Amino acid sequence: MAEFELIESIRARCTQTRDDVLLGIGDDAALLAVPSGKWLAVSTDTLVAGVHFMQDTAARDIGWKSLAVNLSDLAAMGAEPAWATLALTLPAADARWVEEFAEGFAALARQYRVALTGGDTTQGPLSITVTIHGLLPERVALTRSGARGGDGVYVTGTLGDAAAGLRQLQSKSPGDSRLLERLQRPTPRVAQGLLLRGHATACIDVSDGLAADLGHVCAASGVGAEIDADALPASPALLAAFDAGTRRAFQLAGGDDYELCFTAPDVDSGDLLDALAHSGCAAARIGRIDSGSQVRIRDAAGNPVALPRRGWEHFA
Ligand code: ADP
Ligand code: MG
């Protein structure tokens, strides 16, 4: 299969259309109609074989996840997804692999009405870069810098499942499909991000590990946070498969959760929490913002919890 045929195979499967795509795949650039009065939110994420996923991961799952991690970034800004581009570097022109990859990507693109508007296809070690574009009303974006002393700290869904799934994969144990699913096919919290607009003071998606990612919020906002390790939400699958110590490490520093961690004044949080629960993904209060400068973790009895590492970092 030649480069052109690979592109055609992707185009034929990623069929989500939008009226605001004036010119899509096939020219030197896409032309997109940005509505006046809206702001554009743009984000890029790369997945590299052997770094972000194991070499033998199913192509369909890689396709899904390459879009999911980008949608998660838009969710954390409170943006509505619109367009994506896909830069694909492949070791070989494997038609079957590309078909399955494109089908995984397209399944999620359909769900969120994301149009694939272009990309690039090159030969080299397997690597996928997606750039996502989303739309927001002016001045309502959720950023990392708005957390204030006294705000509650919240997280959507459950933490630690993806890290638990990875541990099971690596240990070649049969594994719990619910945990593997969280690792291979994360659900971006797009609807929840939209609900947070106008309510959350700061937001980030948990991709590298809660402690590390909340640390970014604290640094950007010039505040500290105290987290109750016993308040972190855990799924039934995680509770069933791992002891309390391992669970806590996965929840605090595991990464790949793609939940939203946000801050909000407690007075404002009742209706918001109701709305999140109604959206199908409830949020839990896990701590409080204070005038410190770091993320400190305690258990329910008030004892400090030490972490060997706070999250994933490249070049560390
Ligand atoms: P150019 O050489 O002008 O950059 P390309 O031959 O790389 O053009 O791409 C041809 C068209 O196909 C362009 O519209 C480009 O955006 C699109 N395209 C290339 N690779 C991909 C891909 N992996 N996914 C989606 N569109 C792609
Ligand atoms: Mg090109």
Side-chain angles (χ1 to χ4, degrees), residues 40-48 52 65-75 77 83-88 105 118-119 127-134 144 205 207-208 258 314:
L40 191 57
V42 184
S43 184
T44 291
D45 254 324
T46 295
L47 300 185
V48 177
H52 297 94
K65 191 163 177 177
S66 66
L67 181 56
V69 300
N70 277 276
L71 287 170
S72 178
D73 282 319
L74 282 190
M77 300 300 290
W83 313 298
T85 58
L86 168 63
L88 201 50
F105 186 99
S127 160
I128 304 104
T129 298
V130 171
T131 300
I132 190 95
H133 298 76
R144 299 177 179 185
D205 67 318
S207 53
D208 295 332
Y258 301 103
H314 294 274

Side-chain angles (χ1 to χ4, degrees), residues 3 119-121:
E3 180 187 328
D120 200 21
T121 305

Side-chain angles (χ1 to χ4, degrees), residues 3 7 10-11 24-30 85-88 116-121:
E3 180 187 328
I7 297 171
I10 294 167
R11 195 196 58 73
I25 293 171
D27 214 305
D28 292 311
T85 58
L86 168 63
L88 201 50
L116 181 65
T117 61
D120 200 21
T121 305

